[in-house]
Amino acid sequence: MMDERLRKQLDFSLEIDKEKNIFRQTHLTNYLRNENDAEHAWHMAIMAYLLREHANEDVDISKVMIMCLIHDIVEIDAGDTYAYDAENLKTQKAREDAAKERIFSLLPQDQKEEMIALFDEFEEAKTPEALYAHAMDNLQPLMLNDSNDGKDWRLHNVCASQVYGRQKTTKGGSEVIFNVVDEMIKKNVEKGNIRPE
């Protein structure tokens, strides 16, 4: 017979399968379809592990990877908020806070508290781990946009200040990664994929 703790853990595990149905504005490298939140999180977590030597400080890489894997689970309820959608960004926190409470409440209390603490740490972007996880969250879609010759940036008429604004936490997590990001942005401005202003 299954005990209550295991039942809750399995219920949560099944619930987060819904993250695979949340599609982002960013396309896969072949531009055949948009990526989903689960793919984005998986990609970030692997990148975080591989690129950890470029973090500004030593980080607990397990903690970083869990942050990467859970940071968008709230979008199951809150939906994806496009990085450059000023109107929906105004309500993003309230929507995600409600989702955080509902979804993580499926877990046993100790794990709920652990996941919420990690989610909140990521959102606050103050610790070395959170800043490095943000660097991955910022780099991953930028790489995909760059690989697709900026089609998503052109589609949404994005300007350089918006892209740099999105990258504001990258430098705090990895100056090395920020320098790569800066080169990619400048290249795409020169190519006309990103508006200068």
Side-chain angles (χ1 to χ4, degrees), residues 21-150:
N21 295 316
I22 308 301
F23 286 89
R24 298 163 46 84
Q25 293 296 318
T26 310
H27 283 76
L28 302 179
T29 53
N30 60 14
Y31 211 77
L32 291 179
R33 68 169 173 83
N34 297 69
E35 75 171 344
N36 68 45
D37 273 356
E39 292 165 332
H40 165 65
W42 161 83
H43 202 179
M44 278 175 60
I46 291 178
M47 288 170 58
Y49 182 80
L50 295 175
L51 301 173
R52 67 190 183 279
E53 68 197 67
H54 304 296
N56 288 344
E57 300 180 49
D58 285 338
V59 293
D60 176 343
I61 197 60
S62 297
K63 187 178 189 182
V64 172
M65 292 174 75
I66 292 297
M67 283 182 186
C68 290
L69 291 168
I70 69 163
H71 81 289
D72 276 345
I73 284 175
V74 294
E75 293 185 1
I76 291 168
D77 288 358
D80 177 58
T81 303
Y82 184 49
Y84 309 117
D85 181 348
E87 196 57 37
N88 277 321
L89 286 169
K90 293 175 187 174
T91 62
Q92 181 180 19
K93 182 171 177 9
R95 287 181 285 115
E96 290 187 351
D97 282 349
K100 170 180 71 174
E101 182 59 30
R102 185 197 73 79
I103 296 166
F104 290 124
S105 289
L106 296 172
L107 286 165
Q109 187 63 29
D110 63 314
Q111 290 186 320
K112 171 192 173 182
E113 290 170 8
E114 177 188 6
M115 293 296 107
I116 286 178
L118 285 167
F119 178 87
D120 289 344
E121 182 179 340
F122 174 83
E123 288 297 306
E124 289 166 9
K126 292 180 181 170
T127 64
E129 285 79 12
L131 286 166
Y132 179 58
H134 268 277
M136 297 302 103
D137 192 26
N138 297 338
L139 173 63
Q140 190 269 347
L142 190 93
M143 284 175 45
L144 292 183
N145 277 319
D146 180 62
S147 76
N148 286 312
D149 198 31

Side-chain angles (χ1 to χ4, degrees), residues 1-12:
M1 230 168 82
M2 189 184 319
D3 69 18
E4 181 71 3
R5 182 176 179 84
L6 178 56
R7 185 190 62 74
K8 287 184 171 189
Q9 291 166 330
L10 293 178
D11 285 349
F12 174 82

